[in-house]
Amino acid sequence: MKLHSYSFPIETERLYFRPLSHEDVPAWTTFFINNPNLHFVGVTDQKAPELQSEIWIDRQMKRYDETGIGILAACDKQSHRLVGNAGIIWRDDILGKPEFEIGYSVIPELWGQGLASEMAIALKQYFIHQQISNRVVSIIHIDNVGSQQVALKNGMSRGPQFEFLSSPCYLYQCEV
């Protein structure tokens, strides 16, 4: 069931967003190399980095086909380099109800540059502008303090703790 179809351009001062494609596998592979935080994004049974990248990108492409939304490539406007992923994900059942989630990930060597905050804020602004729903959430592992800070910068408040993909998480939420 198509919930929404992205309308481009989606961009910030430094970044632009576009659908992921199989051509992104080599660039996104670096996300899975020496990344101690993969469990925060649900990767608990790590495979070879290139295979993990293919699985990730295939999942997003399937989401585009099924719901019209999913995680997008976040690219640097100057270099066109893939720096991370961010987007809106449809979740059928979060604490008993369907939710739209803003998700984001940055390639580890680029951490600490404010990219996650920039991506999350841009997707929330897009979400509001497109009037997708009156509520948006981010599901964040209880130990992922960096992403929790991003959610707070994005105007979200911490809600209940719950189990998601076999991990303890907080539900960050915002009425828009």
Side-chain angles (χ1 to χ4, degrees), residues 44-73:
T44 55
D45 180 27
Q46 173 119 19
K47 298 166 180 41
E50 186 169 320
L51 177 58
Q52 200 71 55
S53 179
E54 289 174 18
I55 292 167
W56 180 285
I57 290 171
D58 284 344
R59 184 179 319 124
Q60 303 321 313
M61 294 173 74
K62 183 178 178 186
R63 285 178 171 148
Y64 303 154
D65 288 342
E66 291 176 353
T67 66
I69 54 177
I71 299 294
L72 300 168

Side-chain angles (χ1 to χ4, degrees), residues 3 5 15 26 31 36 48-50 62-63 74 78 84 95 103-104 118 129-130 146 158 162 166 168 176:
L3 301 166
S5 292
L15 305 172
F31 179 76
E50 186 169 320
K62 183 178 178 186
R63 285 178 171 148
Q78 300 286 326
L95 298 174
Y104 41 88
E118 188 171 335
H129 180 71
Q130 294 292 317
R158 186 166 79 190
F162 69 109
S166 302
V176 295

